[in-house]
Amino acid sequence: EDDPFRQLDELLPTSNAERTASGAPGTGYWQQRADYDIAVTLDDKKQRIQGEATINYSNRSRHTLEYLWVQLEQNRFEPDSDAHAVQTAPKFEDGSSYKRMENILQLADSDGGFKISSVTDADGNDLDHTIGGTMMRIEPPAALESGDEIEFQIHWEYHIVDAKKIRARGGYEYFEEDKNYIYEIAQWFPRMAAYTDYTGWQHKQFLGRGEFALEFGDYEVAITVPADHVVAATGELQNADEVLSDDQRKRLRQAEDVENPMFIITPEEAKANEKSRSEKQKTWIFHAENVRDFSWASSRKFIWDAQLHEQESGGPVWAMSYYPNEAEPLWSKYSTHAIIHTLE
């Protein structure tokens, strides 16, 4: 339908150095960049995450930035968050499921928000910052001129939400029978908000739905988990000799030249691992270049299968799946095949 109030610039945008009238990048197009060096520890007993990140932010725009904005999506799980305030009440006259009621009660009493313990510059000096809902504004000691970079650190922790009770992009799933958890971790670290030529800072509140643009960058992430856990993550594993068994490394080499996915951890091995309770820890180190985000998963329940897929362009890339025995036989039959099909 025609909308008499629709903004004209959506239909007839004015071209400039950054963008042509079609929206395509122009000769003066730019993107900001954010590189991350992160160390995170998973507490499998309390279902908590504790992390510290060094962020190097590059101002590639033509503008001077007086302040920086950082996204804190986990804060939507605070009881007084905007995400809760804008939710409509359920229609009780039509009946309401137990799961829906449990979700409402869990959100009302949730403690899933970020606990920011410090924000400091490269020398360890405190940086002025203000947290407002799912956004944090940081005041650098000096304005960031075009072409400048700034390095700063953030320390944080938060309680991982129960994904069976609270719908979220990240959370844990508890398995009563064997008393184990699967952790799927997303939106888990303070991330630089996007700064673009067409909107400036993208600092709207995150209400639980929709997605936000993010800046590209390199990630070096050290993930410390119980020693009997297996970790899946963005990027490439850097210390396989330290965290994988001889059999797992051997199978990975074999999976480089197979026609179908093969088990790196078999269903039988995963079942046996469920009984383990290591008090030791291992640190898995991953490196990812020029990506917009980083997520990971961890559990002692994981079956792991893999196949190296040769792309028509871009070289070989791993297709991998991680899942518990409860997902069998469906996942081993279809999951990694679906990944390869998607790549093709």
Side-chain angles (χ1 to χ4, degrees):
E1 294 182 9
D2 291 334
D3 180 0
F5 297 101
R6 186 170 182 177
Q7 297 296 303
L8 192 61
D9 60 1
E10 292 182 17
L11 302 175
L12 298 172
T14 302
S15 62
N16 54 34
E18 282 91 359
R19 293 178 187 270
T20 66
S22 70
T27 57
Y29 179 72
W30 48 265
Q31 284 186 357
Q32 306 291 68
R33 183 175 181 86
D35 299 311
Y36 297 84
D37 191 336
I38 304 175
V40 61
T41 300
L42 170 66
D43 187 336
D44 188 39
K45 295 180 179 179
K46 297 181 179 179
Q47 286 68 62
R48 291 186 69 85
I49 274 179
Q50 186 173 35
E52 55 185 75
T54 298
I55 303 173
N56 187 282
Y57 183 72
S58 302
N59 181 17
R60 297 181 171 182
S61 75
R62 296 185 296 152
H63 313 142
T64 298
L65 302 180
E66 303 285 345
Y67 46 80
L68 309 173
W69 283 99
V70 176
Q71 298 179 188
L72 304 175
E73 286 96 337
Q74 287 294 320
N75 283 358
R76 84 172 183 90
F77 299 115
E78 294 285 1
D80 59 349
S81 73
D82 288 353
H84 297 168
V86 300
Q87 279 190 341
T88 56
K91 297 180 179 179
F92 292 110
E93 66 272 16
D94 297 332
S96 184
S97 68
Y98 175 80
K99 187 174 183 179
R100 172 64 173 145
M101 289 300 301
E102 188 175 44
N103 176 261
I104 294 172
L105 293 172
Q106 283 284 323
L107 287 172
D109 195 36
S110 172
D111 183 30
F114 280 115
K115 307 297 185 291
I116 305 290
S117 58
S118 68
V119 181
T120 59
D121 64 17
D123 296 322
N125 302 310
D126 290 339
L127 289 176
D128 290 338
H129 60 280
T130 304
I131 297 175
T134 60
M135 282 290 170
M136 175 168 65
R137 177 168 147 161
I138 296 176
E139 317 290 338
L144 207 61
E145 303 288 345
S146 178
D148 284 353
E149 297 181 1
I150 185 173
E151 185 174 282
F152 59 96
Q153 293 182 329
I154 303 176
H155 288 71
W156 78 94
E157 60 180 311
Y158 73 88
H159 180 77
I160 306 167
V161 300
D162 185 341
K164 286 186 175 180
K165 297 177 181 178
I166 298 178
R167 184 176 179 180
R169 286 172 172 79
Y172 68 78
E173 182 175 359
Y174 178 63
F175 292 78
E176 179 65 38
E177 185 174 339
D178 53 87
K179 305 290 190 294
N180 277 303
Y181 294 84
I182 288 179
Y183 300 92
E184 295 179 340
I185 309 300
Q187 297 180 333
W188 59 280
F189 62 99
R191 306 185 294 180
M192 291 302 304
Y195 182 82
T196 70
D197 60 281
Y198 58 93
T199 63
W201 285 109
Q202 295 188 17
H203 51 24
K204 290 183 178 180
Q205 290 291 312
F206 178 57
L207 303 179
R209 295 182 181 273
E211 298 287 350
F212 288 90
L214 293 168
E215 310 293 5
F216 283 90
D218 294 345
Y219 286 76
E220 190 79 19
V221 182
I223 304 170
T224 300
V225 298
D228 48 7
H229 272 219
V230 174
V231 177
T234 302
E236 297 181 0
L237 181 62
Q238 302 297 294
N239 61 336
D241 289 346
E242 298 174 16
V243 297
L244 300 183
S245 68
D246 291 341
D247 284 342
Q248 290 164 1
R249 295 197 300 273
K250 179 181 177 181
R251 292 168 185 170
L252 273 173
R253 290 192 294 270
Q254 293 173 344
E256 293 178 1
D257 188 28
V258 294
E259 294 185 359
N260 289 292
M262 66 172 289
F263 289 121
I264 311 303
I265 297 176
T266 68
E268 295 75 21
E269 290 168 340
K271 193 68 176 176
N273 291 343
E274 291 178 355
K275 301 181 178 67
S276 174
R277 290 294 183 277
S278 177
E279 293 298 321
K280 296 181 180 180
Q281 293 181 318
K282 282 185 179 179
T283 299
W284 299 58
I285 300 173
F286 293 88
H287 178 75
E289 292 186 4
N290 207 36
V291 298
R292 63 177 292 278
D293 201 2
F294 191 103
S295 61
W296 54 282
S298 181
S299 181
R300 61 176 58 88
K301 289 178 65 68
F302 281 149
I303 301 167
W304 177 11
D305 71 35
Q307 180 182 350
L308 191 65
H309 173 61
E310 188 69 43
Q311 302 179 103
E312 290 187 9
S313 62
V317 61
W318 279 108
M320 297 180 174
S321 298
Y322 302 76
Y323 46 92
N325 270 279
E326 287 81 354
E328 283 293 77
L330 190 67
W331 278 54
S332 62
K333 185 176 180 180
Y334 292 113
S335 181
T336 300
H337 286 290
I339 295 169
I340 293 172
H341 178 72
T342 303
L343 290 169
E344 291 176 342

